Amino acid sequence: MRQLVPNRYTLFLLTLFLAVALPTKADRRTIQLPSTLRFHKGKQVNATPILRTYLEGLQPTLTQGGDTLELRFPRGQYHFTREGATEREYFISNHDHVGSRPIGLLLRGWRHVLVRGEGSELLFEDRMLPIVIDSCQGIELRGLTIDFTNPQITQLHILRSDTTHGTIFSPAPWVKWRITPTGQVESYGTNWHTTPDHGLAFDPKTRELLYRTSDISFPNKDIRQLTRSEASTMGITGHHTSPLLYAPYWKDAHLPTGTVFAARTGYRPQPAIFITNSRDIRLEDMSIHFAEGMGVLAQNSQDITLERFHVQIRPRSGRYFTTQADATHFVACRGKISVQHCRFENMMDDALNVHGVYLKVTAREDKHTLIGRFMHEQAFGYTWAAVGDSVRLVTSRDIQGLDGTFHVRSILPAEGTDLVGARTVRITFEEELPADYTPERQISMENLSRTPSVTFSHNLVRHNRARGILINTPRPVLIEGNTFDHVSGSAILFSTDNNMWYESGQTREVTIRRNLFEDVLTSLYQFTSAVISIHPIIPDLASQRRPFYGQGPASIRIEENTFRIFDTPLLHAISTDGILWRGNKIEPTKSYPKYHPNQKRFLFEGCRHIDIEPSDRTE
């Protein structure tokens, strides 16, 4: 049972805060949070309202710039609930829009703040958004771990799998579950409930995703709990302290007895850390054990560094999963994104995703003005451009950049009065638009100013769904010294899409160097046609006048990598100008049977200036 802090106790702690928040130098203040906020001797304190009150008190000073603030958490566990939390509405890209969210720690408008965790753990008990960095500059989070006491992924252990009679399974010990009147298994918490309908299957020993399983349906109906005698007659022997549940319609040959199944829905309300309209942000020596969306989602921000930022399974927890979606995701950012010396494992999606957002042109009002619409339900409402940003037009059928770069004079909501939250916007450009730049041509707008360079180096990516990393940006990309271990889809994907996801970014200059690819591509997912898949989505490739990716000979370099894989396809490229393949080691394994429908080591469609080392062209 929760024990909330009484008001008098809160006032006492605030007084103590003020006593320790004294300047240690002329340009620095250090705040040592009192140890009484931690879990101590069986007493659980809700840190949410105390931290909220104190951080709000610091707000006027921090927004002025000047001082550097170091906020220290004494090492320990800090519990957060939604009670007493700040609530704000944010339009978070690639997440479901849920209105106002309770927030654990809100850093808004701050300058030059170091939050030092000293190895502390922030535990969240409710469905909430742990940390927001909004309109900040020079923020560093260091030495913090974020986790939830009751994750929304429902882990199940399969005790008997029978393609004739169904499946007997047991929920993991920490799962709060119930069977609804309609016969569905539902997991729940204080302010949420979820009815899983699909999931992922993990090997109980290695925690790798099972070979050739992808996303597996969970027929969640007519579920009932078995008595011991019923279980015995169905072949379950021995002593079981956990409840035994029977799913009569769950008949899947891909799920052997002993499989650990992460049952889930596609719902993703918020990340663990949300960064918006900020610059010079550093996340260092941190761990994320669970989030109901991404580990970190950054949008409209600049110069972000992740160093030893791990999305990893909680030690000794028995879990087989981490985040509900990507480990890290960057939308409409600029400057440099650097992700180094990190571990990303057992996510329900990619380790890294970088892209912009296309706005579909729906109307032309005059020679300078277009109406654009956010097309995807999980990507709308944020400020797409600012005055002075550079924009170009791109066709959707053959994905061709049209002539001209146009600079934003103004951007306004096309409907209503508030730009934040708008689905359609009215953009007026300084330059005159050519007469045929109209909706009838099926074109979209791309913001060229909000595109970053990317360094992804010396990271470990393993045991996750879908892809290793997905990057779309016209600026330089370096992928170096990483290990991609049993990623279930392609290890590296480039995939601009102006038709369904509306994720922009014309990949032009890439170096993929000294990486290890270890038995990846064990299952099929969208666009996972080889270990490295360069796969822009082009409905009418035959109509293209020139390749969309690359910028001439050797602009995409794949060098000195080791491919230790069981199947054939190494590289599939579509509409790419300039690939160099040199000095790579190919070491076939016998880990699994070959299965991939693409049995060509190299496959090129609509490409030119391809230079593959002759000795690697054949097996």
Side-chain angles (χ1 to χ4, degrees):
M1 181 178 292
R2 293 182 187 151
Q3 298 183 33
L4 299 179
V5 182
N7 289 335
R8 291 182 181 178
Y9 189 49
T10 302
L11 292 174
F12 167 75
L13 290 179
L14 293 177
T15 303
L16 184 58
F17 279 154
L18 294 173
V20 299
L22 297 175
T24 57
K25 297 180 181 179
D27 61 347
R28 173 168 292 221
R29 292 198 304 161
T30 298
I31 298 176
Q32 181 82 15
L33 299 182
S35 60
T36 46
L37 272 178
R38 298 177 295 177
F39 183 83
H40 184 66
K41 294 181 179 180
K43 185 174 183 179
Q44 182 173 308
V45 174
N46 178 16
T48 307
I50 302 170
L51 287 176
R52 173 187 176 180
T53 301
Y54 190 64
L55 295 180
E56 287 176 351
L58 290 174
Q59 188 77 7
T61 301
L62 294 172
T63 55
Q64 293 176 359
D67 290 354
T68 295
L69 173 70
E70 181 175 319
L71 180 65
R72 290 185 182 176
F73 285 80
R75 185 180 178 89
Q77 285 188 344
Y78 297 81
H79 288 256
F80 293 79
T81 78
R82 70 187 187 282
E83 297 175 31
T86 296
E87 294 205 10
R88 284 185 178 273
E89 182 179 34
Y90 284 106
F91 292 85
I92 304 177
S93 187
N94 293 82
H95 286 74
D96 293 294
H97 183 60
V98 298
S100 293
R101 299 171 173 87
I103 298 168
L105 291 173
L106 174 62
L107 307 182
R108 188 168 186 270
W110 287 20
R111 301 290 184 270
H112 312 300
V113 179
L114 167 61
V115 180
R116 187 189 295 272
E118 308 287 2
S120 291
E121 186 171 34
L122 311 183
L123 288 175
F124 294 84
E125 299 189 24
D126 300 325
R127 174 179 275 165
M128 57 192 301
L129 173 49
I131 296 177
V132 172
I133 300 172
D134 179 1
S135 306
C136 293
Q137 180 177 350
I139 303 297
E140 181 175 346
L141 304 185
R142 185 190 303 172
L144 288 169
T145 292
I146 295 174
D147 199 5
F148 286 74
T149 57
N150 187 17
Q152 284 81 12
I153 292 177
T154 306
Q155 185 168 304
L156 309 175
H157 295 253
I158 296 178
L159 304 177
R160 192 203 71 178
S161 178
D162 189 324
T163 57
T164 301
H165 299 100
T167 298
I168 298 174
F169 64 93
S170 182
W174 64 83
V175 175
K176 294 182 180 179
W177 64 275
R178 58 197 173 205
I179 298 177
T180 68
T182 58
Q184 294 177 298
V185 170
E186 178 182 79
S187 57
Y188 64 93
T190 53
N191 65 337
W192 61 272
H193 61 86
T194 183
T195 305
D197 55 17
H198 70 283
L200 298 176
F202 291 92
D203 184 294
K205 295 180 180 179
T206 64
R207 284 188 163 86
E208 298 166 4
L209 284 164
L210 292 184
Y211 167 71
R212 295 193 67 180
T213 52
S214 302
D215 294 319
I216 296 178
S217 175
F218 174 43
N220 191 354
K221 60 181 181 177
D222 293 347
I223 309 294
R224 64 185 179 89
Q225 185 171 355
L226 299 177
T227 65
R228 298 299 171 187
S229 61
E230 286 178 318
S232 179
T233 61
M234 298 177 74
I236 302 299
T237 59
H239 179 67
H240 293 272
T241 58
S242 300
L244 304 176
L245 304 184
Y246 174 49
Y249 297 100
W250 199 9
K251 304 171 184 180
D252 197 320
H254 294 96
L255 299 175
T257 295
T259 297
V260 177
F261 191 77
R264 55 192 287 257
T265 68
Y267 187 55
R268 48 168 83 167
Q270 59 255 327
I273 301 171
F274 175 48
I275 302 169
T276 183
N277 298 315
S278 298
R279 61 184 300 169
D280 301 325
I281 307 300
R282 185 177 183 90
L283 308 179
E284 181 177 318
D285 294 323
M286 294 187 65
S287 288
I288 307 294
H289 294 318
F290 178 74
E292 203 179 356
M294 317 290 184
V296 58
L297 186 288
Q299 68 188 33
N300 275 356
S301 295
Q302 178 176 341
D303 296 328
I304 301 174
T305 299
L306 276 59
E307 181 82 21
R308 296 183 299 280
F309 177 90
H310 309 306
V311 174
Q312 59 186 348
I313 293 173
R314 183 181 182 86
R316 300 174 296 280
S317 66
R319 295 181 192 170
Y320 281 67
F321 59 85
T322 54
T323 54
Q324 173 77 294
D326 302 340
T328 68
H329 203 114
F330 302 86
V331 181
C333 291
R334 66 178 78 199
K336 182 174 183 179
I337 293 171
S338 175
V339 180
Q340 301 191 65
H341 304 103
C342 303
R343 172 182 291 181
F344 303 115
E345 64 183 10
N346 293 70
M347 304 82 64
M348 303 295 104
D349 223 321
D350 314 327
L352 171 78
N353 196 331
V354 180
H355 62 86
V357 173
Y358 284 120
L359 291 184
K360 183 176 180 178
V361 174
T362 59
R364 175 182 172 123
E365 292 195 336
D366 56 44
K367 295 180 180 180
H368 294 267
T369 304
L370 298 174
I371 303 295
R373 181 173 179 81
F374 291 99
M375 296 302 295
H376 197 275
E377 284 300 309
Q378 291 182 332
F380 74 93
Y382 74 90
T383 303
W384 188 82
V387 173
D389 280 1
S390 299
V391 173
R392 73 164 181 170
L393 282 299
V394 180
T395 61
S396 62
R397 293 297 301 167
D398 55 359
I399 313 298
Q400 295 283 273
L402 300 181
D403 293 337
T405 300
F406 306 93
H407 298 88
V408 176
R409 179 190 298 169
S410 67
I411 178 170
L412 299 168
E415 301 170 353
T417 58
D418 195 348
L419 189 60
V420 175
R423 289 179 179 269
T424 57
V425 295
R426 176 179 289 104
I427 301 179
T428 299
F429 298 102
E430 295 289 351
E431 299 83 3
E432 183 174 320
L433 296 159
D436 62 342
Y437 287 14
T438 65
E440 291 71 25
R441 196 167 178 181
Q442 296 182 317
I443 56 177
S444 295
M445 291 180 276
E446 177 182 9
N447 190 328
L448 298 176
S449 296
R450 302 190 181 196
T451 55
S453 65
V454 178
T455 296
F456 187 84
S457 69
H458 303 96
N459 304 296
L460 170 62
V461 182
R462 66 179 184 179
H463 309 170
N464 66 294
R465 174 186 176 276
R467 299 149 298 254
I469 59 177
L470 169 55
I471 300 176
N472 297 313
T473 179
R475 302 189 190 275
V477 174
L478 173 63
I479 303 167
E480 181 175 34
N482 304 287
T483 296
F484 297 91
D485 177 16
H486 286 82
V487 173
S488 61
S490 295
I492 299 173
L493 172 65
F494 304 93
S495 186
T496 302
D497 177 21
N498 195 10
N499 291 277
M500 182 174 62
W501 295 100
Y502 287 88
E503 294 182 350
S504 67
Q506 183 179 15
T507 301
R508 297 178 62 82
E509 181 181 348
V510 179
T511 299
I512 301 172
R513 182 170 60 208
R514 302 192 188 104
N515 301 283
L516 170 62
F517 302 94
E518 183 88 34
D519 279 336
V520 302
L521 202 59
T522 56
S523 294
L524 292 177
Y525 292 94
Q526 192 177 40
F527 318 133
T528 56
S529 51
V531 174
I532 299 173
S533 183
I534 305 174
H535 200 301
I537 309 307
I538 305 173
D540 189 5
L541 181 61
S543 297
Q544 273 205 331
R545 300 186 308 278
R546 57 186 177 274
F548 187 66
Y549 280 170
Q551 53 184 3
S555 53
I556 297 179
R557 307 176 68 90
I558 304 171
E559 305 172 304
E560 301 175 36
N561 302 282
T562 298
F563 294 83
R564 196 174 295 154
I565 63 168
F566 68 94
D567 215 333
T568 303
L570 298 181
L571 172 63
H572 178 204
I574 299 173
S575 186
T576 303
D577 181 6
I579 295 176
L580 176 69
W581 175 284
R582 283 291 184 274
N584 298 291
K585 295 181 181 179
I586 303 171
E587 301 175 358
T589 75
K590 302 287 187 181
S591 302
Y592 309 100
K594 294 184 178 183
Y595 80 96
H596 201 283
N598 172 23
Q599 284 299 309
K600 294 183 179 180
R601 181 174 281 183
F602 302 100
L603 177 61
F604 303 106
E605 303 175 66
C607 298
R608 65 190 183 195
H609 297 124
I610 305 300
D611 186 355
I612 304 296
E613 200 158 32
S615 60
D616 288 343
R617 283 189 173 273
T618 57
E619 295 186 55

